[in-house]
């Protein structure tokens, strides 16, 4: 089966510009997550979709970040306008629904390395 | 909110030596997962522990979940160069499909 794919792999933009990241989850995975890792720090949760609905967006840093998952398939994460502190690697992950009491393993994409200059 | 702390941040070992990374949660976890990220790669799921005091082995890797379900460890016996990478623990207080809280990871560097 194809894994989680993310596009682009790298993006370099200037402060104030807009960038849109895309994630295609594994087919059949209703759960889609966005995470961000700033260099040397933890992988920080941003938000979680179940199909097209936002289940939890408590990790979104501010209103400059907008995530969508129209139709419950692929997802986009837009940063507008980008700031220097938004630099980092943005990972998308997907999972199946878990058995009761378990967490499903996350299948990560290769990430998008965003550099804001 | 929930916090997951992981130590050490970096670990240098000679090839053949053992390695251990420790994970502590500020809250009781329903389960804990471990991931490995190779340099330039993405996190890859290794294992999930669910039961209090559980111990699981994968070849040279031994995973433990504490009795109070607030801490966990990963031990690698006789490290090899292929073990290089960052090891993350990730937990959540309840079961389900919601987002996990990751530790900062332990970077394992192996000197041949």
């Amino acid at each position: 089966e194809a894994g989680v794919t993310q596009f682009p792999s790298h993006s370099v933009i200037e402060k104030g510009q807009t960038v849109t990241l895309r994630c295609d989850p594994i087919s059949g995975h209703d759960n889609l997550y966005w995470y961000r890792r700033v260099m040397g720090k933890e992988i920080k949760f941003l938000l979680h979709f179940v199909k097209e609905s936002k289940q939890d967006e408590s990790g979104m840093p501010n209103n400059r970040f907008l995530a969508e998952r129209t139709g419950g398939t692929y997802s986009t994460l837009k940063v507008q306008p980008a700031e220097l502190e938004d630099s980092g690697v943005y990972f998308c992950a997907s999972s199946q629904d878990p058995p009761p009491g378990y967490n499903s393993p996350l299948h990560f994409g290769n990430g998008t390395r965003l550099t804001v200059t | 909110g929930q916090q997951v702390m992981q130590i050490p941040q970096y670990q240098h070992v000679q090839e053949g030596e053992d390695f251990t990374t420790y994970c502590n949660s500020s809250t009781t976890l329903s389960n804990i997962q471990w991931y490995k990220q190779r340099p330039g790669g993405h996190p890859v799921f290794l294992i999930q522990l669910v039961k209090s005091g559980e111990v699981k082995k994968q070849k040279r890797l031994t995973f433990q979940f504490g009795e109070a379900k607030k801490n966990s460890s990963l031990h690698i016996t006789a490290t090899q160069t292929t073990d290089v990478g960052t090891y993350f623990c990730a937990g959540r207080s309840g079961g389900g499909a919601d987002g996990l809280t990751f530790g900062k990871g332990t970077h394992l560097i192996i000197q041949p």
Side-chain angles (χ1 to χ4, degrees):
Chain A
E1 80 185 348
V4 176
T5 56
Q6 289 186 248
F7 181 84
S9 57
H10 295 81
S11 180
V12 181
I13 61 172
E14 293 182 353
K15 177 182 171 181
Q17 289 186 321
T18 298
V19 64
T20 300
L21 314 180
R22 172 171 170 144
C23 169
D24 286 77
I26 292 173
S27 177
H29 283 192
D30 288 341
N31 298 285
L32 186 150
Y33 308 83
W34 284 98
Y35 284 86
R36 176 173 71 177
R37 187 173 189 214
V38 175
M39 184 178 295
K41 299 198 174 181
E42 70 270 27
I43 300 172
K44 190 165 185 278
F45 169 78
L46 297 179
L47 88 159
H48 168 211
F49 283 100
V50 177
K51 297 184 180 177
E52 68 276 9
S53 300
K54 291 177 185 174
Q55 180 79 6
D56 180 357
E57 53 184 329
S58 61
M60 294 288 264
N62 50 61
N63 59 10
R64 294 185 294 104
F65 290 73
L66 175 64
E68 294 180 322
R69 193 184 181 193
T70 307
T73 54
Y74 71 92
S75 175
T76 58
L77 178 64
K78 183 162 72 172
V79 185
Q80 179 184 29
E83 298 288 345
L84 298 177
E85 63 264 26
D86 299 333
S87 296
V89 181
Y90 289 78
F91 287 106
C92 175
S94 70
S95 73
Q96 296 175 314
D97 285 331
Y102 284 76
N103 282 111
S104 292
L106 299 180
H107 299 264
F108 282 85
N110 286 330
T112 294
R113 183 174 295 278
L114 176 64
T115 303
V116 183
T117 62
Chain B
Q2 180 182 50
Q3 290 186 319
V4 175
M5 291 145 287
Q6 198 172 348
I7 59 169
Q9 187 174 359
Y10 294 91
Q11 183 75 57
H12 293 252
V13 301
Q14 294 283 338
E15 188 176 8
E17 291 183 337
D18 293 354
F19 158 77
T20 305
T21 172
Y22 301 90
C23 188
N24 286 284
S25 171
S26 58
T27 59
T28 302
L29 300 170
S30 61
N31 50 70
I32 194 161
Q33 297 182 8
W34 284 91
Y35 291 79
K36 176 184 178 182
Q37 183 176 4
R38 294 183 183 273
H42 58 275
V44 174
F45 174 78
L46 293 177
I47 206 159
Q48 179 170 206
L49 303 172
V50 177
K51 300 176 184 174
S52 169
E54 187 170 14
V55 177
K56 285 189 176 180
K57 292 192 175 185
Q58 288 180 351
K59 297 182 180 178
R60 296 178 292 105
L61 277 61
T62 302
F63 303 84
Q64 291 188 311
F65 201 10
E67 293 289 342
K69 300 183 76 172
K70 294 182 74 172
N71 62 288
S72 181
S73 66
L74 158 59
H75 179 84
I76 302 178
T77 304
T79 54
Q80 300 175 358
T81 55
T82 53
D83 296 325
V84 164
T86 303
Y87 293 84
F88 294 94
C89 61
R92 191 180 176 278
S93 298
D98 288 349
L100 297 169
T101 300
F102 280 78
K104 287 187 177 182
T106 296
H107 304 260
L108 173 61
I109 299 131
I110 297 175
Q111 294 155 339

